Amino acid sequence: MAGPLMRMPNGQMIQPQIVLLREGTDTSQGKGQLISNINACMAVVDSVRTTLGPRGLDKLVQDDRGVTTISNDGATIMKLLDIVHPAAKSLVDIARSQDSEVGDGTTTVVILAGEFLRECKPFVEDGVHPQNIIKYFREAAQMAIARVKELSVSIEGKDAEEKRELLKKCAMTTLSSKLVGGEKEFFGQMCVDAVMHLDQDLLDPRMIGIKKVMGGSMRESFLVDGVAFKKTFAYAGFEQQPKYFENPKVLALNLELELKSEKDNAEVRLSDPGKYQEIVDAEWNIIYDKLEKCVASGAKIILSRLAIGDLATQYFADRGVFCAGRVTEEDLLRVTKATGARVQTTVNDVTPEQLGTCEVFEERQVGNERFNLFRGCPGSKTCTMVLRGGAEQFIEEAARSLNDAIEIVRRAVKNAAIVPGGGAIDMELSRHLRDHARGIAGKGQLFINAFARALEVIPRQLCDNSGFDATDVLNKLRQKHALAGGEGANFGVDVNTGGVIDAYEAFIWEPALVKINAIGAACEATCLILSIDETVRNPRSEGADGQPIHAPGGRGGRGGRGGRGRGRGMRR
């Protein structure tokens, strides 16, 4: 930054420089920086572009620990990519926000944001001020969202059976682009059944458990109308316990049922050696008292978040009671929700109201694992999916796919409005914005037309990923959508034949909320990146010897929390 003019002894006038930033600070600004940010975002988009749609391909991502993930879920891929460019990280944020807000459409939102930026690039290169573009892009996004709401069809007010069928169609549309797309009808029905088991006021997704068991085919997956969890760590005596009950009482605990004396590092001084036996007997009396009270409560199934030792296991087996210790907190929470049991921290004064129940409890072999199943729970507000598959990576991706489908069904239940998929809604929005742009004078017409062109990227990418001629299909779609009276508004890409199809009639549906959120988030990310005109990278702090200084326990600390600082760490 320049200061006031100064006169040198030789009479020359100079303007001294004022140093604001530390030496080594990297600053980039102006049009070049903006175009650089746009290019970085477009490079990120190209990495997920081919995963869109039913014919989309998967990505294999390997992290620094050698863990590999195969997925075509946009949010998963964006999270696993180690993106270092500061502007491109905004695309990761919108993918995550779409995933948390809606559950699906993560690839769509990233591709839309990238295409908006691609359309902006020529304007920026020609010297158009970014704020002009931002103004009209926001206006176009608001119009597009309003049009989606106009075109949406409500499934509210349908009878229960018809509504389940409509929700199944939404789930199948989501699953068609996933690895389990070949069995989308089977899993679509499972997702709808799972959501319908939840409390319809809360629709808490945590109440749907997903368990993965390697081996078998996808068709061997099943839904439990209650809770299922893997057999916990078992002590001697476990095999003697009964593994099947009808209408049992369930006691849920949060305390240990095992001898504690060996764990305590206590010192006891005795003047009389005979007193030692009394201390040992006291330990046994305490645990036997607890076990007797558990059995006296009338419970036939005893679950605890903490350990149930070998003594307790054998004691319960002798009395025809089933027990399981070290049940995970998530599984115990779902058991209490399903059976109505309340978690106890003491076994004193356990009343019948604190016990839960279910119609059937059984232990069942699933592949190489044994599962404890609670079925037919009263007023069950939870359920469990047990997924089968031939490979671990396949099951992991199946679980991610089903999570997307479950989220879509949840959103469709809460916001019962759907729009045609297959790029139909995108083409209709594009046509609507083009028509509107004709009535705008000045540069705004160009910007809204650019926004409308960008929306066509979804059907174009569906064609590219399916191996069809995108230009030919888009021309057919433009022709259909240009029909008067909105007769062609439901036509989208037919990924099976490479033609066009009435997406609504073909039951290719998606919740309106997915498209509304995707357009809004993509537009916000675009406006954010366009509003950046300078990037400043501060230099890393360095020690007296020029070596970078890291916080204690950082990359250089051999001892973790402040080790001896070898390697790239702080030198002593």
Side-chain angles (χ1 to χ4, degrees), residues 20-300:
L20 284 181
L21 303 175
R22 292 180 53 181
E23 185 179 350
T25 302
D26 177 23
T27 62
S28 306
Q29 61 185 4
K31 186 197 300 184
Q33 176 59 34
L34 184 49
I35 291 172
S36 170
N37 288 344
I38 291 174
N39 289 338
C41 292
M42 285 160 55
V44 173
V45 173
D46 289 338
S47 67
V48 296
R49 184 184 295 277
T50 56
T51 66
L52 184 72
R55 299 286 185 268
L57 302 174
D58 297 343
K59 304 293 180 188
L60 189 151
V61 184
Q62 185 176 28
D63 64 14
D64 53 356
R65 293 172 297 171
V67 178
T68 58
T69 304
I70 301 172
S71 179
N72 76 347
D73 178 58
T76 304
I77 296 168
M78 297 295 283
K79 185 169 59 177
L80 292 172
L81 292 177
D82 191 11
I83 296 172
V84 296
H85 195 283
K89 285 183 180 178
S90 62
L91 297 184
V92 181
D93 294 337
I94 61 169
R96 286 182 175 176
S97 73
Q98 178 82 4
D99 193 39
S100 61
E101 188 66 24
V102 187
D104 194 29
T106 49
T107 305
T108 300
V109 73
V110 173
I111 291 176
L112 276 177
E115 196 64 18
F116 289 155
L117 289 168
R118 190 188 301 274
E119 291 291 341
C120 292
K121 189 176 174 185
F123 297 127
V124 173
E125 289 173 336
D126 291 343
V128 176
H129 196 282
Q131 287 300 333
N132 290 336
I133 304 173
I134 289 171
K135 174 188 172 184
Y136 284 101
F137 264 41
R138 285 197 169 132
E139 182 183 323
Q142 288 171 0
M143 288 181 56
I145 290 170
R147 182 64 176 161
V148 171
K149 291 177 181 176
E150 281 178 33
L151 294 171
S152 62
V153 178
S154 176
I155 59 174
E156 201 66 67
K158 310 280 187 186
D159 63 66
E161 194 56 41
E162 190 178 358
K163 190 171 183 180
R164 288 175 80 99
E165 196 60 30
L166 297 176
L167 292 172
K168 181 182 172 184
K169 296 287 193 288
C170 290
M172 286 168 60
T173 302
T174 301
L175 291 171
S176 64
S177 64
K178 307 296 184 185
L179 200 61
V180 294
E183 299 288 353
K184 62 183 179 182
E185 188 159 347
F186 175 76
F187 284 111
Q189 185 64 54
M190 187 184 288
C191 290
V192 174
D193 291 342
V195 173
M196 289 304 171
H197 271 103
L198 301 181
D199 185 332
Q200 296 302 296
D201 293 328
L202 298 176
L203 290 176
D204 186 355
R206 293 176 302 171
M207 291 297 105
I208 300 178
I210 297 181
K211 304 298 179 184
K212 306 156 197 167
V213 184
M214 279 185 61
S217 67
M218 287 189 294
R219 280 268 175 181
E220 292 177 36
S221 304
F222 59 92
L223 181 71
V224 179
D225 58 337
V227 183
F229 57 83
K230 207 176 293 184
K231 181 176 79 72
T232 58
F233 179 81
Y235 287 94
F238 178 82
E239 293 302 333
Q240 300 169 29
Q241 293 179 346
K243 304 298 191 300
Y244 182 89
F245 291 100
E246 291 184 2
N247 299 311
K249 295 292 183 183
V250 181
L251 174 61
L253 300 173
N254 187 19
L255 77 159
E256 286 182 327
L257 292 176
E258 62 179 346
L259 287 167
K260 303 270 294 177
S261 57
E262 295 178 8
K263 295 185 179 181
D264 296 334
N265 186 17
E267 180 179 338
V268 180
R269 298 192 179 188
L270 300 172
S271 56
D272 180 5
K275 295 286 185 184
Y276 177 73
Q277 190 60 42
E278 292 180 19
I279 294 172
V280 173
D281 291 343
E283 294 281 355
W284 286 81
N285 290 336
I286 289 170
I287 190 164
Y288 272 123
D289 181 54
K290 289 180 180 178
L291 299 179
E292 284 171 14
K293 287 177 178 175
C294 289
V295 174
S297 68
K300 287 297 181 183

Side-chain angles (χ1 to χ4, degrees), residues 486-548:
E487 291 178 20
N490 294 331
F491 277 86
V493 180
D494 185 351
V495 295
N496 296 315
T497 64
V500 297
I501 189 173
D502 189 324
Y504 191 80
E505 292 293 329
F507 304 114
I508 303 170
W509 299 342
E510 56 184 330
L513 191 66
V514 174
K515 196 56 67 178
I516 289 170
N517 207 73
I519 293 171
C523 180
E524 285 301 322
T526 304
C527 295
L528 174 70
I529 290 164
L530 287 175
S531 64
I532 299 169
D533 76 331
E534 183 171 4
T535 302
V536 180
R537 287 191 181 88
N538 290 326
R540 290 196 296 177
S541 299
E542 296 183 351
D545 57 356
Q547 292 293 320

